[in-house]
Amino acid sequence: GAGVSQSPSNKVTEKGKDVELRCDPISGHTALYWYRQSLGQGLEFLIYFQGNSAPDKSGLPSDRFSAERTGGSVSTLTIQRTQQEDSAVYLCASSLEDRGQETQYFGPGTRLLVL
Amino acid sequence: GEDVEQSLFLSVREGDSSVINCTYTDSSSTYLYWYKQEPGAGLQLLTYIFSNMDMKQDQRLTVLLNKKDKHLSLRIADTQTGDSAIYFCAEKADSWGKLQFGAGTQVVVTP
């Protein structure tokens, strides 16, 4: 079946604008994760959703970042008033559940460049 | 807090073995993973090991875990040019889902 997909694959925006990044997880996966990969910071956890539970937002770097997951499937990560330091690759992953050794399958990422 | 450390770069000749090392600090880590990232691509799971194991072998890949020293290694036998990539180790505690990643090791395979 299809893997995790993300859109857009690339996004260039001006400082101060809002952006929305989309993630379509693997069908049937209840857990969905967002990570950010930037130069000098490696891969950092942002937020994750598990079923109907409240999301774990502990990794969001500021209140300009928010995410939602509609209908337990598609997720959107929104960055308001983008800053140049937001430039990074935003990776989404999904897994059957969040516990045990359940493998997280990653999408190809959205490359965000803030000018 | 949790921290995962890896060496940043490894150069290896084609046909030799590669060994990528990783140390972690979270003693509650239950699962440890190795992911591979090729240029312009997402992360691909290579293998994982449960914390009560000390070795796992999967074809050309051997994972060694020293839980006492919190040291994890990935050995790639007969390294090929297609193995050139960035390799990430990651740890996960059983009680929550997020992965804590290392900074990644860039492996360059030379002919």
Side-chain angles (χ1 to χ4, degrees):
Chain A
V4 178
S5 61
Q6 294 185 244
S7 61
S9 52
N10 293 281
K11 176 73 176 177
V12 180
T13 191
E14 293 179 350
K15 178 182 171 181
K17 296 282 177 79
D18 298 351
V19 295
E20 283 190 355
L21 312 179
R22 177 186 167 107
C23 173
D24 283 84
I26 293 172
S27 178
H29 280 192
T30 62
L32 184 148
Y33 312 79
W34 283 98
Y35 295 88
R36 178 169 73 173
Q37 185 176 23
S38 49
L39 284 175
Q41 297 293 327
L43 264 160
E44 54 179 330
F45 163 78
L46 296 177
I47 185 171
Y48 96 92
F49 301 86
Q50 168 56 30
N52 295 321
S53 302
D56 177 352
K57 303 179 182 180
S58 59
L60 294 178
S62 78
D63 59 8
R64 296 186 295 106
F65 287 72
S66 63
E68 62 178 24
R69 189 178 184 192
T70 53
S73 180
V74 171
S75 177
T76 303
L77 177 70
T78 301
I79 309 173
Q80 295 178 306
R81 305 180 303 281
T82 51
Q83 303 294 311
Q84 289 179 332
E85 62 262 28
D86 300 333
S87 296
V89 178
Y90 289 82
L91 292 165
C92 175
S94 71
S95 64
L96 273 175
E97 57 177 17
D98 67 337
R99 294 181 180 270
Q101 59 79 24
E102 290 297 341
T103 298
Q104 292 185 22
Y105 295 89
F106 282 78
T110 294
R111 284 154 187 77
L112 175 66
L113 177 61
V114 181
L115 300 177
Chain B
E2 307 95 351
D3 200 11
V4 179
E5 294 188 354
Q6 301 178 238
S7 52
L8 293 181
F9 185 80
L10 175 67
S11 179
V12 61
R13 291 206 323 200
E14 192 175 9
D16 289 350
S17 292
S18 312
V19 179
I20 309 167
N21 294 302
C22 171
T23 57
Y24 60 99
T25 56
D26 188 352
S27 58
S28 67
S29 293
T30 309
Y31 301 96
L32 296 127
Y33 300 79
W34 285 102
Y35 279 85
K36 176 183 180 182
Q37 186 179 38
E38 295 181 85
L43 272 71
Q44 171 198 352
L45 178 70
L46 288 178
T47 187
Y48 70 90
I49 189 167
F50 186 48
S51 60
N52 69 354
M53 298 168 64
D54 49 24
M55 187 181 90
K56 181 177 181 180
Q57 187 151 5
D58 184 1
Q59 299 182 332
R60 293 191 297 122
L61 305 178
T62 303
V63 179
L64 295 177
L65 175 61
N66 181 329
K67 194 173 180 183
K68 173 176 169 289
D69 295 337
K70 298 189 184 69
H71 182 266
L72 181 74
S73 68
L74 174 69
R75 179 177 180 268
I76 306 172
D78 187 25
T79 311
Q80 303 298 306
T81 54
D83 295 324
S84 292
I86 301 175
Y87 291 80
F88 292 92
C89 68
E91 61 175 351
K92 179 181 169 212
D94 191 41
S95 55
W96 60 78
K98 66 184 181 184
L99 293 173
Q100 183 79 25
F101 284 90
T105 299
Q106 171 92 52
V107 173
V108 174
V109 181
T110 57

